[in-house]
Amino acid sequence: GRMVTLPVSGILIPIIADAAIEQGFGTGAVKITPGHDPLDFEIGQRHGLAAINLMNPDSSLNANAGVYAGLKPIVARERVLEALTAAGLLIKSESHNHVVPHCERCNTILEPLISKQWFVRIQPLADPAIAAAQDGRVTFVPDRFSKVYMHWMTNIRDWNISRQLWWGHRIPVWTCANGHEFASDAEPET
């Protein structure tokens, strides 16, 4: 129920508590960026936080980044530290080892970004598969794998079929001039 002012922009943001935040990390207070981190997106969904997009398709920062618009994220992060230091707001800086995702083809840093995605609803497919395992129509060798299978199937998520890879599978969806979407295995008539 309380708010804090984000120093670099003056924007008010809510203070929340969530069990997904790692206990004992730093001060215990971390920023949540629902528009640019998968775990933060889920936390944001639970707390009704806006998922603000800060990036352009070329990975430069957009107008939502204020004075940092047009910069690449790594440069903007350095400028934010400089601004915090200049304002006397940075107490200290520490190095932390963490996983930074990179493209396996070109080795560039992958910046998570919310975009339109296409999913296949999986639960209707999982339910009969679960029933077949439970009633014995499907068996596992060795039997211990039945627990792994059941855990996976009962916690299944919808399957993303649009991973935004330019070399990946093309999804046959077109958008007309009026914004309507059309999915087919054939191109729409003009």
Side-chain angles (χ1 to χ4, degrees), residues 84 88-93:
L84 291 172
L89 298 172
L90 183 65
I91 296 169
K92 68 178 177 176
S93 177

Side-chain angles (χ1 to χ4, degrees), residues 79-96:
R79 300 262 176 94
V80 167
L81 287 176
E82 291 169 3
L84 291 172
T85 302
L89 298 172
L90 183 65
I91 296 169
K92 68 178 177 176
S93 177
E94 296 179 0
S95 294
H96 290 281

Side-chain angles (χ1 to χ4, degrees), residues 6-20:
L6 190 60
V8 296
S9 67
I11 295 171
L12 283 175
I13 57 174
I15 297 173
I16 62 167
D18 196 279

Side-chain angles (χ1 to χ4, degrees), residues 122 126 130 146-157:
I122 296 299
I130 291 169
S146 65
K147 290 181 183 177
V148 174
Y149 174 81
M150 291 304 289
H151 176 76
W152 185 68
M153 294 299 280
T154 55
N155 293 291
I156 202 156
R157 293 183 175 201

Side-chain angles (χ1 to χ4, degrees), residues 40-183:
D40 290 2
F41 177 80
E42 290 181 9
I43 293 170
Q45 293 289 298
R46 284 195 289 275
H47 296 276
L49 302 177
I52 300 168
N53 174 20
L54 292 178
M55 300 183 99
N56 293 310
D58 70 352
S59 83
S60 64
L61 299 183
N62 65 27
N64 289 329
V67 298
Y68 305 103
L71 299 176
K72 293 291 185 176
I74 197 157
V75 175
R77 288 180 187 115
E78 292 168 3
R79 300 262 176 94
V80 167
L81 287 176
E82 291 169 3
L84 291 172
T85 302
L89 298 172
L90 183 65
I91 296 169
K92 68 178 177 176
S93 177
E94 296 179 0
S95 294
H96 290 281
N97 290 329
H98 63 101
V99 176
V100 177
H102 284 73
C103 175
E104 63 184 41
R105 293 185 181 226
C106 65
N107 203 34
T108 56
I109 294 174
L110 297 175
E111 298 282 356
L113 176 68
I114 294 177
S115 60
K116 181 172 253 183
Q117 300 288 312
W118 293 80
F119 291 84
V120 172
R121 188 170 311 283
I122 296 299
Q123 197 60 51
L125 302 172
D127 290 339
I130 291 169
Q134 288 175 330
D135 67 19
R137 287 178 285 149
V138 172
T139 58
F140 297 87
V141 178
D143 184 58
R144 62 187 162 90
F145 286 117
S146 65
K147 290 181 183 177
V148 174
Y149 174 81
M150 291 304 289
H151 176 76
W152 185 68
M153 294 299 280
T154 55
N155 293 291
I156 202 156
R157 293 183 175 201
D158 291 340
W159 177 38
N160 182 327
I161 60 169
S162 58
R163 296 188 177 175
Q164 307 301 314
L165 303 175
W166 66 266
W167 57 84
H169 303 288
R170 293 179 180 262
I171 307 299
V173 176
W174 290 268
T175 304
C176 74
N178 295 328
H180 300 113
E181 293 173 341
F182 172 78

